[in-house]
Every structure is written in C-alpha cells, then in structure tokens.
Amino acid sequence: MSFIIKKLLLSAIFNSCLFFLLFIGIQNSSNKSKVDFLIEETIELPISFIVGSSFIVGSIIGTFLVLDINNE
C-alpha cells in the first residue's frame, strides 16, 4: 500500500473517531451560539461543537497539504 493511501486512511479513521467523541462530549452542553455566514446564520449550536468541528475540518485540510522541507 502506498504512503499516500496509508496517510489518508489513517487521517479518515482518526478524524472519524474525533467526530464520534465530539458527539459524546457535547451531550450536556448548555452554552449555545449561532454561526454567522455571509448570507445566513445557523441554528443555535453548542459552542463545543463549533470549536470541535473547526478542529476536525482543519485536521482534514491539513492532511492534504504537502510540505517538502528537504527539497534542495
């Protein structure tokens, strides 16, 4: 199996586990807020869900970045 496929598979498994734990962790969250987009705003969501999903999306985007530091 190539390195890229292993990296993507590991990232998918890791982020899926984080997303599952996020849903378990926000069960008793009472602080809620809305997210303002350019056109509309969302329904009231728990702040922990907003922060956790931002972290997971950042982790997914970071997986696709290729940084070749040793390129000379």
Side-chain angles (χ1 to χ4, degrees):
M1 198 186 295
S2 73
F3 176 71
I4 295 173
I5 294 173
K6 284 182 185 178
K7 183 179 173 183
L8 291 175
L9 184 63
L10 180 65
S11 174
I13 292 170
F14 177 72
N15 288 318
S16 299
C17 291
L18 282 180
F19 198 65
F20 178 71
L21 290 173
L22 178 68
F23 275 113
I24 291 173
I26 64 171
Q27 293 296 318
N28 294 325
S29 182
S30 61
N31 297 337
K32 296 187 179 192
S33 180
K34 292 183 178 185
V35 177
D36 294 326
F37 291 119
L38 293 174
I39 299 170
E40 296 203 17
E41 59 184 27
T42 63
I43 60 170
E44 288 192 352
L45 297 169
I47 294 176
S48 58
F49 179 76
I50 296 169
V51 172
S53 61
S54 318
F55 177 78
I56 293 171
V57 168
S59 175
I60 291 170
I61 292 173
T63 301
F64 293 110
L65 291 178
V66 177
L67 299 175
D68 192 10
I69 298 173
N70 296 328
N71 189 7
E72 296 179 10

